[in-house]
Amino acid sequence: GLNDLKYTEKCLLECLRMRPVLTRGQRIFNPGPDGRFGGYVIKEKNLRITFSQFIMHHHPQYWPNPMKFDPERWQDDFSPQTYSYMPFYAGARGCLAKHMAMMMMKLTLSVLARNFDMDQDFDPKNMPDFTHEFAVMRIMNNVDVNVNPIKG
């Protein structure tokens, strides 16, 4: 079943780390009685804080060799530091359907792999170009994939 696709899941987790769908988020912050947030004193209430999942997912403090695609980092005993990995957000505002989304991604990949041969006409001099201008990451240039049905 889908639960047996352990390496596929590791690859998906690493894809979501390398290229999170949502590149940034916002929260409203109200300081506690001492006004402290990390090492700072903040006196303003209802302060809008913007954060970047992309930056958190590539921060070398939390991710050794952060620019390398490495599904092996997702071993069974590995758990990312809290809030350093948030492809579906986290906490009270986390995506309720994140487990369903992972199952759907595994199902889609398994159906494609079972029924089609795929290869990419990839030019290493023309890497996919992503934009972070929007809240959702988008590919800005063409990425051609050849999809051929498996005969038999």
Side-chain angles (χ1 to χ4, degrees), residues 124-148:
K125 295 176 185 163
N126 187 23
M127 299 287 282
D129 187 22
F130 296 89
T131 181
H132 305 271
E133 293 176 17
F134 308 99
V136 177
M137 185 177 290
R138 295 176 20 186
I139 297 176
M140 300 305 291
N141 56 346
N142 290 334
V143 178
D144 296 326
V145 178
N146 298 315
V147 181
N148 298 302

Side-chain angles (χ1 to χ4, degrees), residues 38-57:
Y40 302 95
V41 175
I42 299 175
K43 297 180 181 178
E44 188 172 337
K45 294 189 184 312
N46 297 318
L47 182 66
R48 185 179 306 264
I49 295 178
T50 300
F51 57 92
S52 169
Q53 285 99 317
F54 185 85
I55 291 173
M56 290 187 307
H57 290 183

Side-chain angles (χ1 to χ4, degrees), residues 72-123:
E72 297 300 326
R73 74 174 82 233
W74 298 94
Q75 297 303 323
D76 292 337
D77 60 345
F78 175 72
S79 180
Q81 187 168 339
T82 304
Y83 299 113
S84 67
Y85 181 72
M86 298 178 25
F88 299 102
Y89 273 43
R93 295 200 183 353
C95 177
L96 295 175
K98 66 182 173 185
H99 298 293
M100 184 181 81
M102 284 298 291
M103 284 186 8
M104 292 302 296
M105 286 186 282
K106 287 194 280 188
L107 179 63
T108 301
L109 287 175
S110 67
V111 168
L112 287 171
R114 189 173 350 120
N115 295 300
F116 298 96
D117 279 328
M118 292 179 275
D119 63 65
Q120 189 175 27
D121 286 336
F122 186 71
D123 179 4

Side-chain angles (χ1 to χ4, degrees), residues 3-21:
N3 289 331
D4 297 328
L5 299 174
K6 300 294 184 194
Y7 195 74
T8 302
E9 184 170 337
K10 290 177 184 182
C11 289
L12 288 169
L13 291 169
E14 187 68 352
C15 285
L16 290 168
R17 184 192 71 80
M18 295 286 296
R19 297 290 185 253
V21 175

